[in-house]
């Protein structure tokens, strides 16, 4: 719905489950906005607390036509994939996996962990890039700075003369904003982008409208700045990009045309070499549901 007098749309999350019994707040996709720019999926996990050995465990599953983008805030997680990569992700770091024509991977909390707090996003690959070779990149160092009481981390794209190293294939932005003691500022925006501002912790006033945890403020293109105030201890996630013009389908773990998705489902269920295998998970694979068309 639209926040009164502001022209800002309020999107509330819904609860979903991921492997290991961890609950997440799923923000994208929703009926009114399947994507924000190229960002086509957004889960906010945690902060979830659990006993050692009982954290996240997402067994082997496939992807096509997208990039998975994991921003870790608290805890530690292990990524494994069918290219042979094994990478521990620690707070303040990003894992970026490009599925392209096809890849499979697993995600799990380390055995000694007791907490998980992360944002898991997908980026839809643009036409001409949907069938590129799969790849994996790890980014331990990202641009960070402080301004007007906010601590910024640039996760993707460019902002305020800074550019993140994350390798993406379409114009977009991703940024973490943390407010230890509360802050107010006018935040510059790219007017050609649509944006979403998600409250991860605490609360924020967006053009005078209050947003609480797991509420997203959707901002249509045309804004050059945003009047933003955040409460002490708040954490926000800003995403944005050029409004999409291509027609894609998002279904299960796949992004692409309906024909491409149906073929990927058949290939995964048949154990095709297209998706390879993850060492140690050859017989621990998620089952794809039937394609509904």
């Amino acid at each position: 719905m639209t926040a009164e007098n502001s022209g800002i749309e309020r999107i509330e999350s819904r609860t979903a489950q991921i492997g290991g019994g961890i609950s997440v707040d799923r923000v994208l996709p929703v009926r009114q906005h399947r994507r924000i720019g190229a960002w086509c999926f957004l889960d906010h996990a945690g902060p979830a607390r659990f006993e050692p050995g009982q954290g996240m465990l997402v067994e082997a599953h496939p992807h096509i036509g997208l990039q998975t983008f994991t921003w870790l805030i608290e805890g530690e997680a292990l990524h494994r994939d069918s290219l042979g990569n094994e990478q521990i992700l620690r707070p303040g770091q990003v894992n970026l996996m490009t599925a392209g024509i096809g890849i499979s991977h697993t995600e799990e909390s380390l055995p000694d962990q007791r907490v998980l707090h992360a944002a898991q996003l997908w980026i839809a690959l643009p036409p001409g890039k949907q069938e590129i070779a799969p790849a994996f990149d790890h980014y331990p160092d990202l641009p960070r700075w402080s301004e007007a009481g906010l601590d910024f981390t640039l996760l993707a794209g460019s902002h305020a003369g800074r550019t993140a190293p994350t390798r993406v294939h379409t114009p977009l932005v991703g940024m973490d904003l943390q407010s230890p003691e509360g802050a107010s500022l006018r935040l510059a925006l790219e007017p050609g982008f649509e944006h979403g501002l998600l409250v991860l912790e605490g609360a924020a006033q967006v053009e005078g409208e209050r947003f609480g945890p797991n509420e997203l403020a959707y901002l249509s293109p045309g804004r050059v700045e945003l009047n933003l105030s955040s409460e002490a201890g708040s954490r926000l996630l800003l995403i944005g990009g050029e409004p999409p013009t291509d027609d894609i389908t998002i279904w299960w773990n796949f992004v692409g045309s309906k024909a491409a998705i149906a073929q990927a489902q058949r290939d995964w269920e048949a154990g095709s070499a297209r998706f390879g295998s993850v060492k140690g998970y050859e017989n621990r694979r998620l089952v794809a549901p039937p394609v509904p068309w």
Side-chain angles (χ1 to χ4, degrees):
M1 68 181 182
T2 302
E4 186 179 358
N5 300 325
S6 69
I8 296 173
E9 211 170 330
R10 185 184 303 267
I11 295 174
E12 297 181 358
S13 66
R14 60 193 188 279
T15 301
Q17 296 288 323
I18 60 174
I22 300 293
S23 295
V24 299
D25 290 281
R26 184 152 296 165
V27 183
L28 290 177
V30 292
R31 182 176 300 138
Q32 59 269 48
H33 295 290
R34 305 296 290 172
R35 289 179 274 176
I36 295 178
W39 302 100
C40 64
F41 181 89
L42 171 53
D43 272 357
H44 177 210
R49 304 196 180 275
F50 42 81
E51 293 301 313
Q54 297 183 1
M56 174 180 64
L57 174 59
V58 185
E59 297 185 331
H61 60 284
H63 290 288
I64 65 164
L66 58 86
Q67 294 179 289
T68 62
F69 190 105
T70 307
W71 164 238
L72 193 64
I73 298 167
E74 192 176 0
E76 293 186 349
L78 175 62
H79 163 96
R80 292 188 177 103
D81 64 44
S82 53
L83 301 178
N85 296 296
E86 294 191 9
Q87 178 64 57
I88 295 174
L89 183 63
R90 296 184 170 89
Q93 301 179 349
V94 162
N95 276 353
L96 178 63
M97 186 182 75
T98 302
I101 190 64
I103 196 171
S104 59
H105 73 133
T106 64
E107 299 168 290
E108 59 191 285
S109 299
L110 295 184
D112 61 345
Q113 292 297 294
R114 293 176 175 267
V115 63
L116 176 70
H117 190 192
Q120 170 80 67
L121 303 103
W122 295 353
I123 303 169
L125 289 169
K129 296 287 187 179
Q130 293 174 353
E131 295 186 352
I132 60 176
F136 174 78
D137 297 285
H138 173 67
Y139 297 96
D141 299 307
L142 298 161
R144 291 178 168 85
W145 71 98
S146 297
E147 177 186 346
L150 280 174
D151 297 331
F152 293 82
T153 304
L154 185 60
L155 309 178
S158 299
H159 181 81
R162 300 169 175 87
T163 298
T166 39
R167 182 175 56 170
V168 295
H169 298 274
T170 188
L172 51 75
V173 68
M175 192 159 56
D176 181 272
L177 297 77
Q178 189 176 16
S179 175
E181 298 179 1
S184 295
L185 81 164
R186 297 200 67 83
L187 180 68
L189 298 176
E190 167 54 54
F193 286 4
E194 57 182 350
H195 292 85
L197 184 68
L198 175 66
V199 179
L200 299 176
E201 295 181 286
Q205 297 279 336
V206 182
E207 294 293 348
E209 299 288 340
R210 188 180 189 277
F211 287 76
N214 297 306
E215 293 183 329
L216 180 139
Y218 171 81
L219 314 166
S220 58
R223 292 178 180 268
V224 297
E225 61 180 8
L226 180 69
N227 186 19
L228 177 65
S229 298
S230 56
E231 298 178 0
S234 295
R235 184 172 220 125
L236 315 174
L237 178 66
L238 177 75
I239 59 173
E242 293 182 344
T245 58
D246 57 320
D247 183 23
I248 61 169
T249 297
I250 304 165
W251 179 82
W252 196 48
N253 296 313
F254 302 138
V255 169
S257 68
K258 288 186 175 181
I261 289 172
Q263 185 62 56
Q265 191 264 7
R266 290 192 294 268
D267 289 345
W268 175 250
E269 288 302 287
S272 167
R274 172 184 184 179
F275 293 107
S277 62
V278 181
K279 184 178 180 181
Y281 284 83
E282 292 85 355
N283 298 313
R284 299 170 64 186
R285 294 159 34 103
L286 298 186
V287 176
V291 174
W293 56 82

